[in-house]
């Protein structure tokens, strides 16, 4: 059964720092991997999607990498801002349908 | 930019009552999904729907749950007889058939069962 783990569970950094969020999954037979942002009590905003054949994707200050063989993905956030404070979720898609989520990393960026 | 919408944003119901949660997926999308997130827990997959039938469902999606696409725009999740443990945020998602296969999520419906 596919398990998705995110480390750390919570992270607090001063504004301007670069940071890395980690995601690991137990079964490398994934279709794609998606990173989401969730603000408290709100829905999921898709940040980046990496297909299983890709190794990384970039959008603005965000860069996500995927190492399917080792079951790992990282989300790199450059020059963090207080507005980046949110919970970041990693999710792997199996067979193009069932999506399994990690528990998230709660990020706080202090001004 | 097209987006997935969900109504209501918050639904309060008594235990044992039926509820219908509504979603309007992005208009040219053909794959539809429901997920739930119990407070403080992971987002969990419930069901996927394509070509007017269920294509995958999780263990959570038992006989109390059903989905329907009653017309060309709505996608609904019905819970027949709600239980206290059905209290959660329910998210609808949709995706297209080409390109990145990215799933786009709605803002969610918070269901509270009393």
């Amino acid at each position: 059964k596919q398990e998705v783990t995110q480390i750390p569970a919570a992270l607090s950094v001063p504004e301007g720092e670069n940071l890395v969020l980690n995601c690991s999954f137990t079964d490398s037979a994934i279709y794609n991997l998606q990173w989401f942002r969730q603000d408290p009590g709100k829905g999921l905003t898709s940040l980046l999607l990496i297909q299983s054949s890709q190794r990384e994707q970039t959008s603005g200050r965000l860069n996500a990498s995927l190492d399917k063989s080792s079951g790992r993905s990282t989300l790199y956030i450059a020059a963090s801002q207080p507005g980046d404070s949110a919970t970041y979720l990693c999710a792997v898609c199996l067979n193009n349908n069932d999506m399994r989520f990690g528990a998230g990393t709660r990020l706080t960026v202090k001004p | 930019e097209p987006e997935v919408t969900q109504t209501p944003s918050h639904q309060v119901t008594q235990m044992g009552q039926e509820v219908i949660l509504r979603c309007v997926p992005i208009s040219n999308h053909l794959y539809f999904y429901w997920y739930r997130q119990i407070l403080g827990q992971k987002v969990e997959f419930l069901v996927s729907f394509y070509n007017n039938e269920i294509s995958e469902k999780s263990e959570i999606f038992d006989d109390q749950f059903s989905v329907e696409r009653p017309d060309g725009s709505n996608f609904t999740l019905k819970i027949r007889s709600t239980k206290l443990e059905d209290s959660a945020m329910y998210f609808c998602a949709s995706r297209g058939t080409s390109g990145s296969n990215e799933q786009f999520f709605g803002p969610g419906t918070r269901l509270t069962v009393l």
Side-chain angles (χ1 to χ4, degrees):
Chain A
K1 184 185 170 186
Q2 180 74 266
E3 295 289 339
V4 181
T5 303
Q6 290 187 247
I7 294 172
L11 181 63
S12 181
V13 300
E15 182 177 4
E17 258 197 27
N18 303 323
L19 56 101
V20 175
L21 308 181
N22 297 289
C23 172
S24 61
F25 46 95
T26 53
D27 186 344
S28 62
I30 64 170
Y31 192 82
N32 60 46
L33 183 144
Q34 230 170 314
W35 281 94
F36 294 88
R37 169 186 172 135
Q38 185 176 32
D39 293 286
K42 303 292 186 183
L44 307 178
T45 301
S46 179
L47 298 173
L48 288 164
L49 178 142
I50 311 177
Q51 301 289 358
S52 62
S53 59
Q54 297 175 322
R55 293 195 64 85
E56 67 175 340
Q57 283 286 339
T58 298
S59 176
R61 293 183 294 109
L62 306 180
N63 175 277
S65 69
L66 174 64
D67 184 343
K68 208 173 75 154
S69 60
S70 68
R72 293 182 184 180
S73 176
T74 61
L75 179 67
Y76 174 82
I77 303 177
S80 57
Q81 302 168 359
D84 294 332
S85 298
T87 296
Y88 290 81
L89 302 176
C90 163
V92 296
C93 190
L94 316 175
N95 298 322
N96 212 17
N97 271 311
D98 186 353
M99 208 168 210
R100 298 290 171 89
F101 282 78
T105 293
R106 190 172 67 254
L107 173 66
T108 303
V109 181
K110 295 175 288 188
Chain B
E1 187 173 329
E3 57 183 18
V4 177
T5 59
Q6 291 185 242
T7 54
S9 57
H10 191 187
Q11 172 100 40
V12 181
T13 190
Q14 295 289 327
M15 191 169 56
Q17 295 295 306
E18 174 184 287
V19 294
I20 297 176
L21 310 183
R22 301 181 193 280
C23 168
V24 178
I26 293 173
S27 64
N28 61 346
H29 285 184
L30 297 178
Y31 292 85
F32 314 115
Y33 308 85
W34 283 102
Y35 296 83
R36 80 171 184 190
Q37 186 178 32
I38 295 170
L39 187 63
Q41 297 187 22
K42 290 184 180 184
V43 176
E44 300 171 289
F45 169 78
L46 292 178
V47 67
S48 60
F49 190 87
Y50 171 71
N51 201 25
N52 282 320
E53 60 183 27
I54 291 173
S55 43
E56 298 275 351
K57 61 181 181 179
S58 71
E59 307 156 343
I60 304 166
F61 195 87
D62 61 21
D63 292 345
Q64 291 299 309
F65 291 90
S66 62
V67 288
E68 193 177 33
R69 187 156 164 82
D71 53 44
S73 60
N74 289 284
F75 178 51
T76 62
L77 174 69
K78 182 194 289 187
I79 308 175
R80 262 180 269 284
S81 177
T82 50
K83 303 187 281 281
L84 294 176
E85 53 266 37
D86 293 328
S87 295
M89 194 77 149
Y90 288 81
F91 295 108
C92 172
S94 70
R95 74 166 178 90
T97 57
S98 61
S100 69
N101 298 317
E102 184 175 356
Q103 290 190 26
F104 293 86
F105 281 70
T109 292
R110 179 171 299 285
L111 176 65
T112 302
V113 182
L114 302 176

